[in-house]
Amino acid sequence: YFVKKSIDNGIDIIRTFDALNDLRNMETAVKATKQYNGTAEVAMSYTISPVHTEEYFVGLAKRIEDMGADLVCIKDMANLLLPYPAYSLVKKLKESVKVPIVLHTHNTTGTGDMTLLKAIEAGVDVVDTALSPLGSGTAQPATESLVATLKGTEYDTGLDLELLSQAAELFRPVAKRLTD
């Protein structure tokens, strides 16, 4: 019902994840998303361990695709995915699954911007960012700096930096209120 009401109210992409990557815990949400004509984005919770290898994540992505996902998301909640491993993982995922790949990382360790850049160079389809007043630190990397970095390259987003700056100004009081 939550998925139905979300889609009814204009949320078209439903991202589901399980911290232990147990796909059984996401099946109902994916089925409901498809039933109500939403886009099912299924996330893999990224971590580092002897078990959590590139092969593990590629295999998991294939299983996610098989369960009906429209997008596979690498959900890097702790910013553990570093730039060069991100490049390698995205390359392998793009070779192994047909659905688009999304990267959601944070900037907790200060490497989020570089991780997004290397993932973009590897062919990731979507990256998550946040406007600068709410971005960086434990949030996603800032939108404006990534847009500026990509301007004039083959990865140019086409987003207007002046409009992004105006939007960021609207959120500065919100960010201040949240940190006071």
PDB file of all heavy atoms in Angstrom, residues 19 60 136 142 165-166 178:
ATOM      1  N   ALA A  19      19.903  -3.955   4.126  1.00  0.00           N
ATOM      2  CA  ALA A  19      21.283  -3.752   4.578  1.00  0.00           C
ATOM      3  C   ALA A  19      22.134  -5.018   4.452  1.00  0.00           C
ATOM      4  O   ALA A  19      23.354  -4.933   4.321  1.00  0.00           O
ATOM      5  CB  ALA A  19      21.296  -3.250   6.020  1.00  0.00           C
ATOM      6  N   LEU A  60      25.214 -10.488  -7.479  1.00  0.00           N
ATOM      7  CA  LEU A  60      24.031  -9.913  -6.845  1.00  0.00           C
ATOM      8  C   LEU A  60      23.258  -9.046  -7.847  1.00  0.00           C
ATOM      9  O   LEU A  60      22.027  -9.106  -7.920  1.00  0.00           O
ATOM     10  CB  LEU A  60      24.438  -9.096  -5.616  1.00  0.00           C
ATOM     11  CG  LEU A  60      23.318  -8.478  -4.790  1.00  0.00           C
ATOM     12  CD1 LEU A  60      22.361  -9.540  -4.250  1.00  0.00           C
ATOM     13  CD2 LEU A  60      23.919  -7.661  -3.641  1.00  0.00           C
ATOM     14  N   SER A 136      27.628  17.118   0.635  1.00  0.00           N
ATOM     15  CA  SER A 136      28.958  16.812   1.172  1.00  0.00           C
ATOM     16  C   SER A 136      28.871  16.354   2.621  1.00  0.00           C
ATOM     17  O   SER A 136      27.787  16.069   3.112  1.00  0.00           O
ATOM     18  CB  SER A 136      29.906  17.980   0.985  1.00  0.00           C
ATOM     19  OG  SER A 136      30.172  18.102  -0.407  1.00  0.00           O
ATOM     20  N   ALA A 142      28.253  17.358  -3.564  1.00  0.00           N
ATOM     21  CA  ALA A 142      27.507  18.528  -4.015  1.00  0.00           C
ATOM     22  C   ALA A 142      27.277  18.501  -5.528  1.00  0.00           C
ATOM     23  O   ALA A 142      28.185  18.197  -6.301  1.00  0.00           O
ATOM     24  CB  ALA A 142      28.245  19.805  -3.627  1.00  0.00           C
ATOM     25  N   SER A 165      22.811  27.531  -8.602  1.00  0.00           N
ATOM     26  CA  SER A 165      23.239  28.459  -7.561  1.00  0.00           C
ATOM     27  C   SER A 165      22.029  29.145  -6.926  1.00  0.00           C
ATOM     28  O   SER A 165      21.965  29.308  -5.698  1.00  0.00           O
ATOM     29  CB  SER A 165      24.197  29.487  -8.152  1.00  0.00           C
ATOM     30  OG  SER A 165      24.611  30.398  -7.174  1.00  0.00           O
ATOM     31  N   GLN A 166      21.059  29.532  -7.740  1.00  0.00           N
ATOM     32  CA  GLN A 166      19.835  30.152  -7.225  1.00  0.00           C
ATOM     33  C   GLN A 166      19.054  29.156  -6.355  1.00  0.00           C
ATOM     34  O   GLN A 166      18.547  29.517  -5.291  1.00  0.00           O
ATOM     35  CB  GLN A 166      18.962  30.643  -8.373  1.00  0.00           C
ATOM     36  CG  GLN A 166      19.547  31.824  -9.108  1.00  0.00           C
ATOM     37  CD  GLN A 166      18.749  32.179 -10.356  1.00  0.00           C
ATOM     38  OE1 GLN A 166      17.563  31.876 -10.466  1.00  0.00           O
ATOM     39  NE2 GLN A 166      19.406  32.820 -11.305  1.00  0.00           N
ATOM     40  N   LEU A 178      18.687  23.374  10.123  1.00  0.00           N
ATOM     41  CA  LEU A 178      18.964  21.976  10.483  1.00  0.00           C
ATOM     42  C   LEU A 178      20.218  21.810  11.322  1.00  0.00           C
ATOM     43  O   LEU A 178      20.356  20.837  12.065  1.00  0.00           O
ATOM     44  CB  LEU A 178      19.076  21.114   9.221  1.00  0.00           C
ATOM     45  CG  LEU A 178      17.783  20.930   8.426  1.00  0.00           C
ATOM     46  CD1 LEU A 178      18.072  20.225   7.110  1.00  0.00           C
ATOM     47  CD2 LEU A 178      16.747  20.168   9.235  1.00  0.00           C
TER      48      LEU A 178
END
